[in-house]
């Protein structure tokens, strides 16, 4: 194994799909579709760990990310982090586009740690979040023209929600701030406030505004479960959407610097189960619901 691959392996955080804030290839997903989703997750996790590694320079990170991309496309040496996804893509006849776009987002993280405004943040989400939803939909054979737009809105919302929940940690550990500078200025807040033990009223106003915009994205994607042909995927996305709405509403009243935004596992499970059951109950009417959404 090359020195580059040794370095890539050493950057792994040890985080797995069960450690994420939202379900990843849960047992709601049909068993035949779980392997390609998990292969995608662990390839992306390897890239994310590189981008977040505190001891690597920007140049080292980009070199490792380029190596992952080349291994996936066959343009460079094989990499154990890329081989499972490469095999799944070949078996399904799927292109590597979505995984490569996520690597572009990690390159942004290696070079950039501030965002000027909401549009710049959404541009980041286009590469850091939207490809995830698109890949899962492609694995299930869904129609991009029907489902991508709603999926993009939900994925951007999930990404921004994570940014808001982790705003203090991101600033303290990596000097990375996803909160738009324009929004901070609007409410008289500063980046330095992210390093305080509790959020100031100005920063709370910033988080509240961004949470409201995130809820608008979730509303834009609300119809997605009823647009999807695969019943099990519809239930999974309905559960994720409901959990995201619950957490985002929590940010309207909770301080992510000093309070836990997440609820307990039991409450989350009940919320997800209720949303999945609701999606299942709507299946007989999904044609009418999809037309109404359109």
């Amino acid at each position: 194994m090359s020195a580059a691959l040794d370095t890539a392996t050493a950057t792994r955080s040890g985080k797995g799909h069960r450690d994420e804030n939202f379900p990843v290839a849960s047992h709601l997903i049909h068993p035949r579709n779980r392997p390609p989703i998990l292969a995608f997750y662990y390839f992306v996790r390897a890239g994310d760990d590189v981008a977040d590694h505190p001891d690597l320079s920007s140049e080292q990170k980009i070199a490792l990310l380029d190596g992952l991309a080349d291994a996936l496309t066959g343009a460079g040496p094989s990499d154990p982090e890329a081989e499972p996804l490469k095999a799944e893509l070949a078996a399904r006849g799927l292109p590597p586009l979505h995984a490569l776009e996520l690597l572009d987002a990690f390159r942004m993280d290696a070079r950039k740690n501030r965002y000027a405004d909401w549009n710049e943040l959404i541009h980041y989400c286009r590469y850091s979040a939207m490809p995830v939803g698109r890949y899962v939909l492609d694995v299930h054979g869904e129609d991009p023209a029907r489902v991508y737009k709603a999926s993009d809105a939900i994925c951007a919302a999930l990404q921004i929600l994570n940014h808001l929940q982790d705003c203090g940690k991101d600033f303290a550990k990596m000097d990375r701030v996803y909160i738009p500078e324009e929004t901070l200025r609007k409410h008289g807040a500063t980046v330095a406030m992210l390093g305080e033990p509790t959020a100031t009223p100005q920063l709370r106003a910033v988080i509240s505004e961004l949470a409201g915009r995130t809820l608008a994205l979730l509303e834009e994607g609300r119809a997605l479960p009823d647009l999807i042909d695969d019943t099990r995927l519809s239930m999974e996305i309905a559960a994720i959407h409901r959990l995201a709405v619950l957490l985002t509403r929590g940010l309207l009243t909770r301080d992510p610097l000093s309070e836990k935004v997440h609820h307990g596992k039991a409450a989350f499970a009940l919320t997800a189960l209720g949303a999945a059951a609701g999606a299942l109950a709507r299946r007989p009417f999904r044609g009418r619901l999809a037309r109404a959404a359109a």
Side-chain angles (χ1 to χ4, degrees):
M1 185 179 290
S2 70
L5 291 184
D6 287 338
T7 303
T9 301
T11 63
R12 293 303 302 270
S13 65
K15 189 174 182 180
H17 69 283
R18 290 189 175 87
D19 301 314
E20 298 295 337
N21 291 333
F22 296 95
V24 176
S26 80
H27 290 289
L28 282 173
I29 298 295
H30 195 284
R32 70 173 174 268
N33 291 326
R34 296 185 77 236
I37 294 173
L38 289 174
F40 184 87
Y41 170 83
Y42 281 104
F43 176 81
V44 171
R45 167 50 52 199
D48 199 13
D49 287 346
V50 166
D52 289 350
H53 200 281
D55 299 328
L56 295 177
S57 68
S58 176
E59 292 76 16
Q60 288 173 313
K61 291 177 180 181
I62 290 168
L64 288 169
L65 294 169
D66 288 347
L68 284 172
D70 289 345
L72 185 63
T73 62
S78 174
D79 187 314
E81 304 290 3
E83 287 307 309
L85 178 58
K86 187 176 180 180
E88 290 290 348
L89 293 175
R92 298 275 178 142
L94 293 172
L97 172 64
H98 303 311
L100 295 176
E101 287 184 334
L102 280 154
L103 293 182
D104 284 338
F106 302 145
R107 292 186 187 95
M108 289 184 213
D109 283 333
R111 297 185 177 106
K112 182 181 179 70
N113 59 6
R114 299 290 188 273
Y115 290 83
D117 53 31
W118 177 260
N119 288 337
E120 196 169 280
L121 181 59
I122 292 296
H123 174 76
Y124 172 75
C125 292
R126 167 62 186 84
Y127 292 91
S128 68
M130 296 178 192
V132 177
R134 293 183 177 195
Y135 175 77
V136 172
L137 292 165
D138 287 355
V139 165
H140 286 80
E142 299 292 334
D143 177 10
R146 187 173 68 241
V147 297
Y148 269 13
K149 183 178 179 181
S151 174
D152 287 351
I154 290 177
C155 289
L158 295 177
Q159 180 72 89
I160 295 168
L161 172 58
N162 282 336
H163 291 333
L164 294 176
Q165 291 182 114
D166 297 335
C167 60
K169 295 177 185 176
D170 288 341
F171 177 63
K173 293 181 178 179
M174 296 176 285
D175 188 33
R176 194 179 288 164
V177 179
Y178 294 101
I179 293 176
E181 293 171 329
E182 178 184 72
T183 313
L184 288 168
R185 288 195 302 270
K186 176 182 174 181
H187 295 282
T190 65
V191 166
M193 291 178 180
L194 294 168
E196 298 295 327
T198 59
T200 64
Q202 296 94 327
L203 186 58
R204 289 291 294 269
V206 169
I207 292 169
S208 181
E209 177 180 328
L210 295 175
R213 298 186 82 162
T214 303
L215 284 171
L217 286 171
L218 289 168
E219 178 62 23
E220 186 179 335
R222 182 169 59 90
L224 181 59
D226 299 322
L227 300 175
I228 289 173
D229 290 331
D230 187 282
T231 297
R232 296 173 72 137
L233 179 61
S234 171
M235 294 169 69
E236 171 107 332
I237 291 177
I240 291 171
H241 183 271
R242 182 75 63 81
L243 291 171
V245 170
L246 182 68
L247 286 174
T248 307
R249 286 175 178 165
L251 283 167
L252 297 173
T253 57
R254 292 189 182 93
D255 171 11
L257 299 188
S258 62
E259 298 177 86
K260 290 186 69 173
V261 179
H262 272 272
H263 296 272
K265 289 185 177 180
F268 255 48
L270 286 173
T271 299
L273 182 62
L280 181 61
R282 293 194 304 272
R283 296 307 281 177
F285 313 104
R286 63 180 293 266
R288 184 172 64 194
L289 292 168
R291 286 193 296 273

